[in-house]
Amino acid sequence: MPDLIRELLLHYRDLLRHLKHKLRNPDDAADIAQTTFAQVYQYALAAPGSASAIESPRALLFRTAHNLCIDQARHRQVVQAWTDERTALNPHPSAPSAEHMAAYRQLVERVVELLEQLPPRRREVFLLFRAQGHTQTEIAQRLNITEAAVAKHVVRATLDCARAFTELADGLPVLVEPHIRASTQPMLAEERA
Protein backbone atom coordinates (compact mmCIF):
# COMPACT_ATOMS: atom_id res chain seq x y z
CA MET A 1 0.00 0.00 0.00
CA PRO A 2 2.77 2.56 0.76
CA ASP A 3 4.17 1.93 -2.72
CA LEU A 4 0.81 2.74 -4.26
CA ILE A 5 0.54 5.99 -2.29
CA ARG A 6 4.06 6.98 -3.38
CA GLU A 7 3.16 6.19 -6.99
CA LEU A 8 -0.07 8.20 -6.77
CA LEU A 9 1.73 11.17 -5.24
CA LEU A 10 4.34 11.02 -8.01
CA HIS A 11 1.66 11.49 -10.66
CA TYR A 12 -0.50 13.95 -8.72
CA ARG A 13 1.37 17.03 -10.05
CA ASP A 14 1.09 15.77 -13.63
CA LEU A 15 -2.60 15.21 -13.13
CA LEU A 16 -3.12 18.67 -11.67
CA ARG A 17 -1.17 20.30 -14.53
CA HIS A 18 -3.22 18.31 -17.08
CA LEU A 19 -6.51 19.33 -15.45
CA LYS A 20 -5.52 23.01 -15.28
CA HIS A 21 -4.78 22.94 -19.01
CA LYS A 22 -7.93 21.00 -19.86
CA LEU A 23 -10.39 22.90 -17.64
CA ARG A 24 -8.78 26.35 -17.81
CA ASN A 25 -9.85 26.89 -14.23
CA PRO A 26 -7.28 26.24 -11.49
CA ASP A 27 -9.91 25.95 -8.75
CA ASP A 28 -11.94 23.31 -10.60
CA ALA A 29 -8.73 21.51 -11.54
CA ALA A 30 -7.59 21.40 -7.90
CA ASP A 31 -11.01 20.15 -6.76
CA ILE A 32 -11.13 17.39 -9.35
CA ALA A 33 -7.52 16.37 -8.71
CA GLN A 34 -8.15 16.10 -4.99
CA THR A 35 -11.40 14.15 -5.51
CA THR A 36 -9.62 11.87 -7.97
CA PHE A 37 -6.82 11.13 -5.53
CA ALA A 38 -9.31 10.46 -2.74
CA GLN A 39 -11.40 8.12 -4.89
CA VAL A 40 -8.41 6.10 -6.10
CA TYR A 41 -7.07 5.87 -2.56
CA GLN A 42 -10.50 4.75 -1.25
CA TYR A 43 -10.66 2.17 -4.02
CA ALA A 44 -7.27 0.79 -2.99
CA LEU A 45 -8.30 0.66 0.69
CA ALA A 46 -11.67 -0.96 0.01
CA ALA A 47 -10.24 -4.13 -1.52
CA PRO A 48 -7.00 -5.20 0.17
CA GLY A 49 -5.78 -7.13 -2.89
CA SER A 50 -6.76 -4.37 -5.31
CA ALA A 51 -3.77 -2.16 -4.46
CA SER A 52 -1.40 -4.74 -5.86
CA ALA A 53 -3.81 -5.44 -8.73
CA ILE A 54 -3.62 -1.86 -10.04
CA GLU A 55 -1.38 -2.18 -13.07
CA SER A 56 -0.97 1.52 -13.74
CA PRO A 57 -1.80 3.96 -10.94
CA ARG A 58 -1.15 6.85 -13.34
CA ALA A 59 -3.70 5.54 -15.83
CA LEU A 60 -6.23 5.00 -13.04
CA LEU A 61 -5.71 8.56 -11.79
CA PHE A 62 -6.15 10.07 -15.23
CA ARG A 63 -9.17 7.89 -16.12
CA THR A 64 -10.89 8.75 -12.82
CA ALA A 65 -10.19 12.45 -13.36
CA HIS A 66 -11.56 12.22 -16.91
CA ASN A 67 -14.76 10.63 -15.61
CA LEU A 68 -15.10 13.31 -12.93
CA CYS A 69 -14.69 16.01 -15.59
CA ILE A 70 -17.51 14.42 -17.59
CA ASP A 71 -19.69 14.30 -14.47
CA GLN A 72 -18.98 17.96 -13.79
CA ALA A 73 -19.82 18.94 -17.40
CA ARG A 74 -23.11 17.00 -17.22
CA HIS A 75 -23.97 18.68 -13.93
CA ARG A 76 -23.32 22.10 -15.45
CA GLN A 77 -25.52 21.23 -18.44
CA VAL A 78 -28.37 20.25 -16.14
CA VAL A 79 -27.99 23.46 -14.14
CA GLN A 80 -27.87 25.54 -17.34
CA ALA A 81 -30.95 23.80 -18.76
CA TRP A 82 -32.83 24.42 -15.53
CA THR A 83 -31.76 28.08 -15.53
CA ASP A 84 -32.79 28.49 -19.18
CA GLU A 85 -36.15 26.91 -18.46
CA ARG A 86 -36.77 29.22 -15.49
CA THR A 87 -35.75 32.24 -17.58
CA ALA A 88 -38.12 31.20 -20.38
CA LEU A 89 -41.00 30.95 -17.93
CA ASN A 90 -40.27 34.38 -16.42
CA PRO A 91 -38.14 36.39 -18.87
CA HIS A 92 -37.94 39.58 -16.76
CA PRO A 93 -38.25 38.58 -13.10
CA SER A 94 -36.99 41.92 -11.83
CA ALA A 95 -39.15 44.08 -14.11
CA PRO A 96 -42.55 44.78 -12.57
CA SER A 97 -45.58 44.49 -14.79
CA ALA A 98 -47.73 47.47 -15.73
CA GLU A 99 -50.38 46.06 -13.39
CA HIS A 100 -47.94 46.06 -10.48
CA MET A 101 -46.77 49.58 -11.30
CA ALA A 102 -50.37 50.83 -11.29
CA ALA A 103 -51.04 49.01 -8.02
CA TYR A 104 -47.93 50.51 -6.39
CA ARG A 105 -48.91 53.97 -7.62
CA GLN A 106 -52.32 53.42 -6.04
CA LEU A 107 -50.65 52.35 -2.79
CA VAL A 108 -48.51 55.50 -2.70
CA GLU A 109 -51.61 57.65 -3.27
CA ARG A 110 -53.39 55.89 -0.40
CA VAL A 111 -50.40 56.34 1.90
CA VAL A 112 -50.36 60.07 1.13
CA GLU A 113 -54.11 60.21 1.86
CA LEU A 114 -53.53 58.37 5.14
CA LEU A 115 -50.80 60.79 6.20
CA GLU A 116 -53.03 63.75 5.32
CA GLN A 117 -55.80 62.31 7.53
CA LEU A 118 -53.57 62.15 10.61
CA PRO A 119 -53.98 65.00 13.09
CA PRO A 120 -51.52 67.79 12.15
CA ARG A 121 -49.26 67.43 15.22
CA ARG A 122 -49.13 63.63 14.93
CA ARG A 123 -48.34 63.86 11.20
CA GLU A 124 -45.60 66.44 11.83
CA VAL A 125 -43.98 64.38 14.60
CA PHE A 126 -44.24 61.18 12.58
CA LEU A 127 -42.66 62.72 9.46
CA LEU A 128 -39.88 64.35 11.47
CA PHE A 129 -39.13 61.04 13.16
CA ARG A 130 -39.60 58.50 10.32
CA ALA A 131 -38.97 60.50 7.15
CA GLN A 132 -36.34 63.00 8.29
CA GLY A 133 -34.67 60.86 10.95
CA HIS A 134 -34.74 63.32 13.85
CA THR A 135 -34.44 61.96 17.39
CA GLN A 136 -37.28 62.26 19.86
CA THR A 137 -35.26 64.78 21.86
CA GLU A 138 -34.71 66.96 18.80
CA ILE A 139 -38.38 66.83 17.89
CA ALA A 140 -39.44 67.68 21.45
CA GLN A 141 -37.14 70.73 21.49
CA ARG A 142 -38.18 71.80 18.01
CA LEU A 143 -41.94 71.57 18.69
CA ASN A 144 -41.68 72.61 22.34
CA ILE A 145 -43.37 69.43 23.64
CA THR A 146 -42.22 66.67 25.96
CA GLU A 147 -40.36 63.60 24.78
CA ALA A 148 -43.21 61.46 26.14
CA ALA A 149 -45.63 63.35 23.87
CA VAL A 150 -43.33 62.75 20.91
CA ALA A 151 -43.20 59.03 21.73
CA LYS A 152 -47.01 58.83 21.97
CA HIS A 153 -47.42 60.58 18.61
CA VAL A 154 -44.92 58.25 16.96
CA VAL A 155 -46.58 55.14 18.41
CA ARG A 156 -50.09 56.25 17.47
CA ALA A 157 -49.05 57.22 13.95
CA THR A 158 -47.22 53.91 13.52
CA LEU A 159 -50.30 51.98 14.64
CA ASP A 160 -52.52 54.03 12.33
CA CYS A 161 -50.18 53.28 9.43
CA ALA A 162 -50.00 49.58 10.30
CA ARG A 163 -53.78 49.36 10.41
CA ALA A 164 -54.07 51.16 7.08
CA PHE A 165 -51.40 48.99 5.44
CA THR A 166 -53.20 45.86 6.58
CA GLU A 167 -56.44 47.14 5.09
CA LEU A 168 -54.62 48.00 1.87
CA ALA A 169 -52.97 44.60 1.75
CA ASP A 170 -56.29 42.86 2.23
CA GLY A 171 -57.98 45.05 -0.38
CA LEU A 172 -55.25 44.75 -3.00
CA PRO A 173 -53.95 41.16 -3.07
CA VAL A 174 -51.99 41.69 -6.29
CA LEU A 175 -50.33 44.77 -4.91
CA VAL A 176 -48.70 43.61 -1.72
CA GLU A 177 -46.02 40.95 -1.80
CA PRO A 178 -46.16 38.26 0.94
CA HIS A 179 -43.11 39.64 2.78
CA ILE A 180 -44.76 43.08 2.99
CA ARG A 181 -48.02 41.57 4.21
CA ALA A 182 -46.15 39.58 6.87
CA SER A 183 -44.27 42.64 8.10
CA THR A 184 -47.52 44.43 8.97
CA GLN A 185 -48.90 41.55 11.01
CA PRO A 186 -46.47 41.71 13.98
CA MET A 187 -47.34 45.36 14.54
CA LEU A 188 -51.00 44.50 14.77
CA ALA A 189 -50.29 41.59 17.09
CA GLU A 190 -48.49 43.95 19.46
CA GLU A 191 -51.43 46.32 19.29
CA ARG A 192 -53.89 43.58 20.31
CA ALA A 193 -51.74 42.39 23.22
Side-chain angles (χ1 to χ4, degrees):
M1 182 66 99
D3 294 336
L4 174 67
I5 294 172
R6 243 181 266 121
E7 181 96 20
L8 292 174
L9 288 173
L10 267 171
H11 300 297
Y12 185 79
R13 286 189 187 143
D14 292 337
L15 176 67
L16 186 57
R17 190 176 20 247
H18 170 73
L19 289 171
K20 284 180 181 178
H21 175 73
K22 183 176 182 175
L23 298 175
R24 309 249 185 249
N25 183 333
D27 295 329
D28 286 347
D31 289 344
I32 289 179
Q34 182 177 3
T35 304
T36 300
F37 187 85
Q39 284 186 3
V40 171
Y41 182 72
Q42 285 296 92
Y43 171 75
L45 285 179
S50 66
S52 59
I54 297 175
E55 291 180 28
S56 173
R58 177 181 167 82
L60 183 59
L61 272 175
F62 277 77
R63 173 48 61 192
T64 304
H66 177 74
N67 291 343
L68 287 171
C69 288
I70 291 171
D71 290 347
Q72 183 185 54
R74 286 181 183 154
H75 175 75
R76 285 188 176 157
Q77 285 177 342
V78 169
V79 169
Q80 186 62 46
W82 183 85
T83 303
D84 292 346
E85 182 180 314
R86 303 305 294 163
T87 303
L89 292 175
N90 192 3
H92 303 289
S94 61
S97 67
E99 182 180 276
H100 275 89
M101 291 301 293
Y104 283 117
R105 216 173 285 120
Q106 187 179 10
L107 174 64
V108 169
E109 290 169 3
R110 288 188 180 180
V111 169
V112 169
E113 288 174 15
L114 166 74
L115 290 174
E116 289 174 352
Q117 292 172 3
L118 290 175
R121 180 57 61 116
R122 187 179 303 168
R123 179 179 56 240
E124 184 179 15
V125 169
F126 184 73
L127 290 174
L128 285 170
F129 185 73
R130 292 287 182 189
Q132 296 179 14
H134 292 286
T135 65
Q136 290 184 6
T137 306
E138 292 171 343
I139 297 169
Q141 290 172 351
R142 183 176 183 169
L143 300 178
N144 200 25
I145 59 176
T146 66
E147 286 186 46
V150 171
K152 285 181 184 177
H153 284 301
V154 169
V155 168
R156 287 182 179 158
T158 302
L159 291 175
D160 289 343
C161 289
R163 211 175 289 111
F165 278 126
T166 300
E167 291 170 10
L168 288 175
D170 292 340
L172 300 169
V174 175
L175 170 66
V176 179
E177 302 297 332
H179 68 277
I180 295 172
R181 185 183 304 261
S183 68
T184 61
Q185 295 305 320
M187 287 184 189
L188 296 177
E190 292 172 9
E191 179 187 358
R192 288 187 207 120

